[in-house]
């Protein structure tokens, strides 16, 4: 199917069933780029979102992308029959890559804080096979990140990951499994190094915090 490119994102619908809907609040046009390479895809963006920049590419049919009142930059790839859902009050320091394929879901909960150079992907981009049997060994897997999760600089979240609410992922970590809520995990692959934690968005450069 012919590629359809939409710049200066606004309410949109075409003859292939692709649709963009902006929330009632805020501006009626958002700077960015949307590319449809299929049919029956849906993009919803909250009118309270502040996105800079935004790029959404649908690579197939029946994709669904929902962006809440997020602030920051996203480069999103929605594969065939995939779902990407970004919650409210999510913030990024620069452009975050979100990449899905093979009917997987990528869920990012409310109030998550994403540092720089973050990569979240449900698949490996290329297939890997067992040489003797010819069986593929790296199928795509869904990702669920709970609310109020902090992803440190250059961290990666891979297919099959489930990060519980309130957790912190250390800089440079690679997550590929389940992380319980209110935990600190770090390393490659990431391992739990502390449980029973909470965190807030206060900046240590601008405030003095008491050690309890």
């Amino acid at each position: 199917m012919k590629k359809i490119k939409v710049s200066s994102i606004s309410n949109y619908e075409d003859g292939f069933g692709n649709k963009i809907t902006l929330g009632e609040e805020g501006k009626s046009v958002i700077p960015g780029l949307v590319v449809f390479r299929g049919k029956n895809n849906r993009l919803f963006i909250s009118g309270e979102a502040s996105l800079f920049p935004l790029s959404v590419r649908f690579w197939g049919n029946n994709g669904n992308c929902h962006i809440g009142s997020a602030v920051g930059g996203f480069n999103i790839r929605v594969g065939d029959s995939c779902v990407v859902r970004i919650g409210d009050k999510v913030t990024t320091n620069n452009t975050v890559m979100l990449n899905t394929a093979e009917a997987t879901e990528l869920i990012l909960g409310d109030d998550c804080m994403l540092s720089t150079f973050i990569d979240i992907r449900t698949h490996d981009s290329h297939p890997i096979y067992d040489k003797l049997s010819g069986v593929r060994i790296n199928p795509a897997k869904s990702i669920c990140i709970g609310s109020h999760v902090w992803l440190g600089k250059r961290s990666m979240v891979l297919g099959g990951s489930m990060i519980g609410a309130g957790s912190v992922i250390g800089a440079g970590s690679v997550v590929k499994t389940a992380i319980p809520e209110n935990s600190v995990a770090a390393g490659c692959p990431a391992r739990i190094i502390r449980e029973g934690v909470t965190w807030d968005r206060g900046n240590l450069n601008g405030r003095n915090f008491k050690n309890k």
Side-chain angles (χ1 to χ4, degrees):
M1 180 175 290
K2 181 180 179 181
K3 178 172 70 174
I4 303 172
K5 185 181 295 186
V6 180
S7 56
S8 297
I9 303 169
S10 60
N11 289 317
Y12 169 87
E13 191 167 3
D14 61 33
F16 298 105
N18 299 307
K19 187 174 182 179
I20 301 172
T21 304
L22 302 186
E24 295 180 359
E25 311 89 352
K27 298 180 179 179
S28 60
V29 177
I30 296 175
L33 173 69
V34 179
V35 176
F36 295 106
R37 291 179 179 268
K39 59 185 180 180
N40 299 323
N41 296 293
R42 298 286 186 271
L43 171 61
F44 173 85
I45 304 173
S46 168
E48 296 179 348
S50 180
L51 305 170
F52 48 88
L54 175 66
S55 174
V56 183
R57 299 171 188 269
F58 290 90
W59 290 79
N61 305 322
N62 306 308
N64 193 305
C65 182
H66 184 286
I67 303 175
S69 58
V71 177
F74 295 93
N75 185 351
I76 302 171
R77 297 186 181 184
V78 185
D80 194 65
S81 300
C82 288
V83 174
V84 174
R85 181 173 291 273
I86 300 170
D88 293 327
K89 300 180 181 179
V90 173
T91 62
T92 79
N93 280 3
N94 69 353
T95 303
V96 170
M97 168 64 80
L98 306 178
N99 200 328
T100 60
E102 299 182 307
T104 52
E105 295 186 354
L106 194 165
I107 308 300
L108 186 59
D110 295 340
D111 192 36
C112 287
M113 185 170 72
L114 282 56
S115 186
T116 53
F117 309 114
I118 304 297
D119 194 348
I120 307 173
R121 54 178 58 240
T122 66
H123 63 103
D124 297 332
S125 293
H126 306 286
I128 302 173
Y129 301 95
D130 179 82
K131 186 175 181 180
L132 293 178
S133 67
V135 174
R136 184 174 162 203
I137 60 175
N138 67 333
K141 297 179 181 179
S142 296
I143 292 172
C144 183
I145 300 174
S147 60
H148 193 61
V149 169
W150 173 11
L151 298 183
K153 185 175 182 178
R154 297 189 185 278
S155 58
M156 295 185 67
V157 181
L158 303 181
S161 298
M162 296 183 65
I163 303 177
S167 289
V168 178
I169 305 302
S173 298
V174 178
V175 182
K176 53 187 300 186
T177 186
I179 304 297
E181 63 181 33
N182 299 110
S183 298
V184 177
C188 183
R191 293 180 172 85
I192 300 166
I193 60 176
R194 184 80 182 248
E195 295 185 78
V197 303
T198 62
W199 64 273
D200 68 45
R201 289 174 172 268
N203 191 316
L204 293 176
N205 289 121
R207 291 169 55 187
N208 293 320
F209 292 88
K210 294 181 179 180
N211 294 322
K212 295 182 180 180

